[in-house]
Amino acid sequence: MEAYPGTSSPSPQSPTAAASPPPQPQGEVECGAVEFSDHLSPSRHAGPADSNTAPPPSPASVAPMPQNLEGEETVPTSEEVVDEEAAVEELAKEGDEAVAGGEGEALRIFLEELGDQADDCLIPSPRLKEIASPDRLAALQVLGGRYNSLVEKFKLQVAKCVEECAPRFDGLKKKYTVECAERRRLYNELIELRGNIRVFCRCRPLSADEVSRGCSSVIDVDPSQETELQYVPSEKERKNFKFDHVFGPADDQEAVFAESLPVVRSVMDGFNVCIFAYGQTGTGKTFTMEGVPENRGVNYRALEELFRMSNERSSSVAYTFYVSILEVYNEKIRDLLDDNCEQASKRLDIKQSADGAQEVPGLVEAPIYTIDGVWDKLKAGAKNRSVGSTSVNELSSRSHSLVRVTVRSEHLVTGEMSRSHMWLVDLAGSERLAKTEVEGERLKESKFINKSLSALGDVIAALASKNSHIPYRNSKLTHLLQSSLGGDCKTLMFVQISPSSTDSGETLCSLNFASRVRAIEHGPARKQADPAENFKLKQMTEKLCHEEKENVKLNESLQLMQLKYASRENVFRTLQDKIRETEQACRTHQQRVRELENELANEKKAARDTVRPTKPSLAAPVRQRPPLAPMRQRPPLVRISNQAPPPSGPSRQRLGSKGPSVQNKENIPVLDKAAGKARRVSLVPMMRQIPLQPKRRSSIAILPSERERMSVLPEKRAMSRLSHMQMPKTTRPLANFNPIPGTPVAASKAPVDATPDVRGRFKRIELGSSSKFSSPPMQSMWKSRNNVSSPQQRLRLQSGSGNASKLCFSIHKKVGLGSPARPRNSLMSGTGIFDPALREQMMAGKFGNAQRVFSKRRMSVL
Ligand SMILES: Nc1ncnc2c1ncn2[C@@H]1O[C@H](COP(=O)(O)OP(=O)(O)OP(=O)(O)O)[C@@H](O)[C@H]1O
């Protein structure tokens, strides 16, 4: 342990300290006595307890390791630690004594200022310079102690932080690694999407036989250049080839499969995948695809990966796998999982399914549940494969072997279903017939092999040149692979080459072919939906098409209806014009009738005037009797009409000029030339013509139907009644008359409305002082008529107020003049109603008659 000078021998000459020890802040009393040492206990220097800071560690845990001469840290033993603690206590004691015997005021003030500072703060006071030499040492010791404790404290905090953050850091690190891998995978997929056919080149090592024969390698593969190889058949000749990846003789099966993994994984995402090995015989196609039990190839590893992924995704997606193994041998398809595949009845053919995919009906689709089951199936298929011995390969494949893995998936959350295929194809080797020295059956096989490989070359060439027609059907092989060689799948081709100089010609051919394949630009791969899903979608599409057709039909009929409607509108407009014209004619006709009536009234008046002077003897009794008020006060008809006022001018002349035509008509008063007066005629039929007009209109299509009108009729009746019965007091009645003297009504001396109540009696209404027949002023009536817009309103007017006026007039006439059956001459001669007895008798019956007539006429009008 290293002791700083002065700590062990505090200055004895410190009068201030001896006389009055400086007030020590709590917990820091001993600071001045602490040596500036690494072994100093920080607990002794701790200031007031700070709840926010970590508890002070024990001296053993916080003290830094002592160092040896070489600067290396040495671990103290437990005995050494005990000794150190004792030494620290001793030093502290000494320090206390030193402070107690302090030398001066400067040190005391310095310590006070230091004590005021926070625990984690260390700012040396400028007063340090003022402290005298022995006290300065003590001050420095105190500072050193504070500094040491702070260092220890921070070290502890850092250690704690590191401890806390370590797991988080590790997690982030792992995540980062996974994300990097994912990013690489996505990048790979992006590349695939840009060009969905990938070509890997694999060069096998020289076989022992080739080495023994002294063959040299014509392939130069640089391990640092993963995508390039050089074909060097001679010193002068050197050709560079580029592929997506190049595997040299040193690359093992694992490395090959690692690069194939992204394509294999795509089948799990619902893409069709095709991996095939192409090359000369004996170059390692079967080795790459099938491998050997101790060094398995792509087929087994791919299925292994599928199972691994299925387990990994089991929480979200349910996968099922099926395997079919078949071969195309001499342009015939054989099911290698069927033990009776040799039978002629087991011949298989290619059919196109509803969704456009190529299917082989009758092909065994074996479900597989474990990876062991996969290996069993692959072995069974390989056992049934046609192999034979050639001069090039002892176990040469004489057929194209195809393993089809069907992956069905159902997403457990979204319910999305898919079905995709992965074809793993080991092609038969291309070979030169002369070189393989085959004959007989082998020769025939070789011809078929070469023919199908040539067809594959044609398909590849057509795809590369983007021909509209791709000759898939030229061979069974290309026909089977149609959906996996087209644009909506991912294709991986292994071009297998031999490095031997003896095979340089075939190697060059294979390399050129592979380069052409690599030049093919596929469109983006498409996810394969489940056929069941496809069927559903198809049905929905058909339904949609059908509905669209219906829609078109409906649209057409709507257009027709619109056309019909337009033509009906035209007809309606024409009919309305006609109605307007007819109305106008009718109005003119009515006007004419009124003129004639006026003339008739004038004629009658003139006739009466002429008759009276000729019978003076009758004048006296007539004067004694009450005058026939209604007769004398009866206004001209024009006043109770709601028609336009007649044109001024001599009506007699017009009547005279139009006499013949008018006389032919019914209800036109005819002048009795012999008597010199007009005969009384009924006006009722003429009035009945007016309500007929709306009936004509009701034949127009847009007016309500007969049933509707019938349903409305009671309302109209009610309205008609209301127009008479509920008329406000301020409104002038459409028709009223003065009561006949002597009747009960006359006693009230008030005008009486012509409308009877429900019992057929006249209803009494206060109508003001008018005592004459009155109708609304002509001008206002005319205006109201012009304001009437609809035929219904006009109908209401005509059948309501107009008819009522006429009806009232008729009643008034009957009441005033007696029964129409009674001859008019009796009145004029003075022997009729001018006789008081007779008149009284008449008055008794007249009112009843009036009631009857009124009811009758009202019914006829309504
Ligand atoms: N990469 C390699 N590493 C070691 N040996 C290999 C490799 N490739 C092929 N071989 C060996 O070469 C021999 C021929 O391989 P393989 O039968 O797979 O060729 P092939 O192309 O399938 O022939 P064929 O077309 O006639 O069927 C085998 O003995 C195989 O073990």
Side-chain angles (χ1 to χ4, degrees), residues 787-850:
N787 284 340
V788 169
S789 56
S790 71
Q792 284 82 358
Q793 283 174 311
R794 282 198 289 274
L795 173 65
R796 216 174 290 136
L797 266 177
Q798 287 171 355
S799 62
S801 58
N803 287 342
S805 307
K806 286 164 190 169
L807 181 63
C808 289
F809 168 67
S810 175
I811 293 163
H812 177 78
K813 211 162 67 173
K814 281 180 182 297
V815 170
L817 300 179
S819 168
R822 192 176 293 275
R824 190 82 173 271
N825 289 343
S826 63
L827 175 75
M828 301 310 289
S829 60
T831 57
I833 59 169
F834 291 98
D835 177 17
L838 181 59
R839 182 180 170 79
E840 211 161 303
Q841 188 188 350
M842 281 171 66
M843 291 304 286
K846 269 175 193 171
F847 202 76
N849 277 343

Side-chain angles (χ1 to χ4, degrees), residues 58-77:
S58 68
S61 63
V62 297
M65 295 296 174
Q67 294 179 349
N68 58 19
L69 290 174
E70 286 80 32
E72 294 168 353
E73 286 183 345
T74 56
V75 181
T77 61

Side-chain angles (χ1 to χ4, degrees), residues 202-205 207 248-253 278-289 291-292 295 385 387-388 390 392-399 426-431 496-497:
R202 189 176 191 188
C203 179
R204 69 163 171 81
S207 65
D251 288 319
D252 57 5
Q253 301 279 62
Y278 172 90
Q280 182 201 350
T281 182
T283 50
K285 297 184 292 296
T286 310
F287 184 80
T288 297
M289 297 306 293
V292 286
N295 210 359
R385 194 177 175 188
V387 290
T390 64
V392 178
N393 189 359
E394 200 180 324
L395 274 176
S396 178
S397 311
R398 308 311 294 165
S399 65
D426 175 17
L427 294 174
S430 60
E431 55 201 35
Q496 299 284 147
I497 54 171

Side-chain angles (χ1 to χ4, degrees), residues 692-812:
L692 285 176
Q693 288 176 2
K695 282 188 180 175
R696 282 183 62 200
R697 237 176 258 179
S698 67
S699 66
I700 296 166
I702 57 153
L703 285 177
S705 65
E706 192 63 30
R707 206 196 304 174
E708 285 168 341
R709 275 197 291 114
M710 289 303 286
S711 65
V712 173
L713 198 57
E715 290 175 28
K716 282 187 178 176
R717 283 176 183 167
M719 284 175 71
S720 174
R721 244 175 250 137
L722 280 172
S723 68
H724 297 289
M725 297 176 74
Q726 296 180 0
M727 193 169 283
K729 285 180 183 179
T730 50
T731 311
R732 292 189 73 188
L734 293 171
N736 57 35
F737 59 91
N738 282 342
I740 295 167
T743 60
V745 179
S748 67
K749 291 190 179 177
V752 177
D753 186 10
T755 310
D757 62 10
V758 284
R759 292 177 198 163
R761 291 177 303 197
F762 285 109
K763 189 180 174 187
R764 183 179 168 139
I765 302 173
E766 299 295 330
L767 293 171
S769 59
S770 173
S771 61
K772 293 182 178 179
F773 268 106
S774 60
S775 62
M778 282 301 146
Q779 205 54 38
S780 64
M781 283 304 290
W782 188 245
K783 193 178 171 187
S784 73
R785 277 178 59 80
N786 286 341
N787 284 340
V788 169
S789 56
S790 71
Q792 284 82 358
Q793 283 174 311
R794 282 198 289 274
L795 173 65
R796 216 174 290 136
L797 266 177
Q798 287 171 355
S799 62
S801 58
N803 287 342
S805 307
K806 286 164 190 169
L807 181 63
C808 289
F809 168 67
S810 175
I811 293 163
H812 177 78

